[in-house]
């Protein structure tokens, strides 16, 4: 019996030593983990607070474009020829400008900085980064063009977007951006070619409307109608719906399908009673039907709603 007790005691002491070793090992591992975590936090804090390339990429991954812009600015103060900082400041400037839909002055300031930086960066860019830099430059010119009163930058948007594709850069939005830019330049053929390519990637109500608009502009109302009907079926955007109804109304008026045309213009007025376009379209419809009194009344209403509407002004001046 005594032997059993001694054996039991030895086992108990052995188990206690094992448990103690496990506790010590766990404590050491915990201390190591804590030390690693602390070093990581301190290193991350140092990197984030430093004006370094590592900090640039850190904030870029987090989507903090303002901080990227500031750090790149600081690096360029020290080293004006630093290509990475120049490129990243250009990228962040574009994103900051794009995020300013209301303050047009600030928006254009950021876009101008992006354009300047990216054009300079292209001069010394690595071959594997040229396409992406050209893409963002083309994107900047595209949105700068859309923010301007006239299409002064559409040709540059086309140039750099086409260059980006030529250098192997791929982005699903390039065909649609090219379609819109070619349309602004009045090149209906290339616009439709680009839009058709975009349609193979993703169909949207905006894309269908823009394709229809180009076919209508090219005098092909029958094809335009097909795209407009599809746009109306899938869209929940009042702006797209109104613009689609307006072109359909014009097409039906040209086909002398006056009841269908009137229905389209009235559909617009149901959504927006103050639509100058709808009243102008109704005026043209009544003109073709020979009811000049109603036509003049619609055009006058159009000009009351939109003081500068050249087509309505011309119509009224021709019948005085």
């Amino acid at each position: 019996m005594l032997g059993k007790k001694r054996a039991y005691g030895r086992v108990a002491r052995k188990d206690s030593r094992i448990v103690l070793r496990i506790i010590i090992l766990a404590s050491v591992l915990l201390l190591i983990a804590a030390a690693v975590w602390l070093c990581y936090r301190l290193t991350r804090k140092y990197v984030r607070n430093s004006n370094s390339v590592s900090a640039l990429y850190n904030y870029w991954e987090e989507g903090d474009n303002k901080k990227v812009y500031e750090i790149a600015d600081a690096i360029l103060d020290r080293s004006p020829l630093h290509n990475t900082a120049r490129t990243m400041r250009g990228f962040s400037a574009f994103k900051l400008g794009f995020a300013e839909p209301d303050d047009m002055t600030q928006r254009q300031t950021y876009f101008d900085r992006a354009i300047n930086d990216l054009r300079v960066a292209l001069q010394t860019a690595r071959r594997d980064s040229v396409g992406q830099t050209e893409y963002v430059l083309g994107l900047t010119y595209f949105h700068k063009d859309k923010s301007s009163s006239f299409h002064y930058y559409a040709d540059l948007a086309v140039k750099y977007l086409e260059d980006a594709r030529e250098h192997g850069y791929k982005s699903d939005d390039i065909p649609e951006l090219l379609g819109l830019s070619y349309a602004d330049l009045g090149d209906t053929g290339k616009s439709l070619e680009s839009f058709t390519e975009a349609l193979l990637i993703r169909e949207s109500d905006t894309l269908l409307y823009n394709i229809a608009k180009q076919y209508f502009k090219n005098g092909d109302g029958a094809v335009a109608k097909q795209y407009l009907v599809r746009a109306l079926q899938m869209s929940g955007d009042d702006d797209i719906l109104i613009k689609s109804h307006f072109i359909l109304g014009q097409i039906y008026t040209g086909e002398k399908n006056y009841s269908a045309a009137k229905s389209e213009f009235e559909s617009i007025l149901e959504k927006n009673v103050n639509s100058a376009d709808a009243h102008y379209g109704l005026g043209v419809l009544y003109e073709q039907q020979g009811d000049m009194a109603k036509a003049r009344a619609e055009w006058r209403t159009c000009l009351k709603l939109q003081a500068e509407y050249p087509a309505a002004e011309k119509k009224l001046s021709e019948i005085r």
Side-chain angles (χ1 to χ4, degrees):
M1 182 64 115
L2 182 61
K4 287 185 178 180
K5 286 184 179 180
R6 287 176 179 173
Y8 179 78
R10 285 196 298 271
V11 170
R13 285 194 298 275
K14 186 177 180 181
D15 288 345
S16 297
R17 286 196 297 271
I18 291 173
V19 171
L20 181 61
R21 287 171 184 169
I22 291 172
I23 292 172
I24 292 171
L25 180 61
S27 300
V28 170
L29 291 174
L30 189 60
L31 286 171
I32 292 172
V36 169
W37 180 83
L38 182 61
C39 288
Y40 168 77
R41 295 291 297 177
L42 290 173
T43 303
R44 183 178 173 83
K45 184 177 180 180
Y46 170 76
V47 168
R48 286 171 62 86
N49 291 334
S50 66
N51 293 324
S52 65
V53 174
S54 295
L56 266 183
Y57 286 117
N58 195 308
Y59 282 110
W60 179 259
E61 289 176 4
E62 293 179 5
D64 192 338
N65 297 301
K66 189 70 174 174
K67 199 68 179 175
V68 172
Y69 186 93
E70 291 170 357
I71 293 173
D73 208 36
I75 294 173
L76 289 167
D77 277 343
R78 300 194 308 265
S79 179
L81 299 179
H82 199 295
N83 186 273
T84 299
R86 181 76 62 182
T87 302
M88 296 299 283
R89 189 172 72 175
F91 286 178
S92 60
F94 164 70
K95 285 182 171 287
L96 289 168
F98 187 73
E100 288 280 1
D102 300 320
D103 188 342
M104 297 307 294
T105 301
Q106 186 62 54
R107 182 180 176 90
Q108 293 291 3
T109 299
Y110 277 128
F111 283 164
D112 288 341
R113 169 49 63 87
I115 287 168
N116 180 70
D117 278 343
L118 296 176
R119 291 188 69 153
V120 171
L122 275 175
Q123 304 308 309
T124 56
R126 298 192 317 270
R127 182 175 296 181
D128 61 353
S129 67
V130 167
Q132 184 182 15
T133 304
E134 288 171 333
Y135 166 72
V136 179
L137 186 52
L139 205 55
T140 306
Y141 273 122
F142 174 83
H143 288 288
K144 184 173 174 63
D145 184 72
K146 293 301 178 186
S147 303
S148 306
S149 301
F150 300 96
H151 300 302
Y152 293 134
Y153 307 101
D155 58 333
L156 289 166
V158 166
K159 169 184 164 43
Y160 286 105
L161 290 171
E162 291 284 21
D163 285 351
R165 291 215 296 188
E166 197 172 308
H167 286 112
Y169 188 79
K170 296 180 180 179
S171 180
D172 286 350
D173 62 347
I174 289 178
E176 189 165 358
L177 292 170
L178 285 170
L180 291 166
S181 297
Y182 279 125
D184 289 339
L185 292 171
D187 193 332
T188 304
K190 286 189 176 180
S191 176
L192 284 171
E193 183 181 323
S194 298
F195 280 144
T196 302
E197 182 184 347
L199 200 59
L200 296 174
I201 298 170
R202 182 178 63 86
E203 183 173 290
S204 70
D205 54 353
T206 304
L207 180 56
L208 290 168
Y209 166 75
N210 281 317
I211 293 174
K213 185 179 176 182
Q214 290 305 302
Y215 275 113
F216 176 65
K217 184 179 178 182
N218 211 33
D220 198 339
V223 176
K225 273 195 295 186
Q226 295 175 29
Y227 285 101
L228 290 169
V229 169
R230 285 165 64 187
L232 289 169
Q233 287 172 343
M234 74 180 299
S235 184
D237 184 328
D238 279 351
D239 184 53
I240 294 293
L241 293 173
I242 286 171
K243 290 190 293 188
S244 297
H245 282 304
F246 181 59
I247 293 181
L248 272 175
Q250 291 177 292
I251 292 171
Y252 286 132
T253 300
E255 294 174 347
K256 302 188 186 307
N257 187 347
Y258 299 127
S259 61
K262 188 176 182 181
S263 176
E264 296 297 333
F265 295 133
E266 287 176 345
S267 293
I268 296 173
L269 293 174
E270 287 175 8
K271 293 183 177 297
N272 179 13
V273 71
N274 294 318
S275 171
D277 285 338
H279 287 289
Y280 172 76
L282 284 169
V284 174
L285 186 155
Y286 290 134
E287 177 191 30
Q288 290 196 12
Q289 288 181 314
D291 193 337
M292 295 309 298
K294 282 188 176 181
R296 284 193 295 271
E298 292 294 346
W299 292 329
R300 290 192 186 102
T301 302
C302 170
L303 289 171
K304 285 180 183 177
L305 295 169
Q306 186 174 319
E308 292 186 12
Y309 202 109
E313 291 174 350
K314 184 180 179 183
K315 287 289 188 183
L316 287 171
S317 68
E318 289 173 348
I319 58 177
R320 284 175 184 167

